[in-house]
Amino acid sequence: MTPALSSSVGGGISSNKVKYSRLANSDEGYIDLQFKRSPPKVPYKAIALATFLFLVGSLLIIIGSLLLTGYIHVENPDRTIPVLIIGVLVFLPGFYHLRIAFYASKGYRGYSYDDIPDFDD
């Protein structure tokens, strides 16, 4: 005969406050908790740098476009193309990392803050 179980488990602790998990049938020395990932650390410095690159690149692209179209008069028009090229080269990494940071903050699958290089290491 087995005694009937009451709503409390030994010592007056109610059973609904006890948190437990079922043990695996085979003990291989591993537990599930050691494979859980901690929440990623947000790389604020890298995101600030990406924002700076994005803004400077956008500004250089706008200025280069205005120089190239003649809206802003220059004495040496051969210097307008390098401004555009530098603007594009600065804009692209900033845009790329800001896009990753935005999608990671929204929780889209495949995007993580781990994909952004952190300078604190």
Side-chain angles (χ1 to χ4, degrees):
M1 290 183 159
T2 59
L5 293 175
S6 65
S7 65
S8 64
V9 177
I13 301 172
S14 64
S15 63
N16 60 358
K17 292 183 181 179
V18 177
K19 294 183 179 181
Y20 67 94
S21 61
R22 194 173 289 232
L23 294 175
N25 292 338
S26 63
D27 184 21
E28 298 172 356
Y30 300 106
I31 58 173
D32 291 338
L33 289 176
Q34 68 190 109
F35 297 110
K36 286 191 177 180
R37 296 178 65 182
S38 61
K41 190 178 87 170
V42 180
Y44 291 111
K45 289 182 183 177
I47 293 173
L49 177 63
T51 304
F52 176 75
L53 291 175
F54 176 77
L55 293 175
V56 168
S58 299
L59 183 69
L60 286 175
I61 289 173
I62 290 170
I63 290 173
S65 300
L66 293 174
L67 289 172
L68 188 64
T69 59
Y71 190 75
I72 299 176
H73 179 69
V74 290
E75 293 181 16
N76 298 326
D78 58 337
R79 296 183 182 173
T80 59
I81 298 295
V83 173
L84 274 173
I85 291 173
I86 292 171
V88 168
L89 290 177
V90 171
F91 173 82
L92 287 177
F95 174 75
Y96 177 74
H97 288 103
L98 276 181
R99 184 179 62 102
I100 291 174
F102 175 75
Y103 286 144
S105 69
K106 294 295 182 183
Y108 285 104
R109 185 188 321 225
Y111 293 95
S112 172
Y113 289 119
D114 296 334
D115 298 334
I116 301 173
D118 192 11
F119 303 111
D120 291 336
D121 295 339

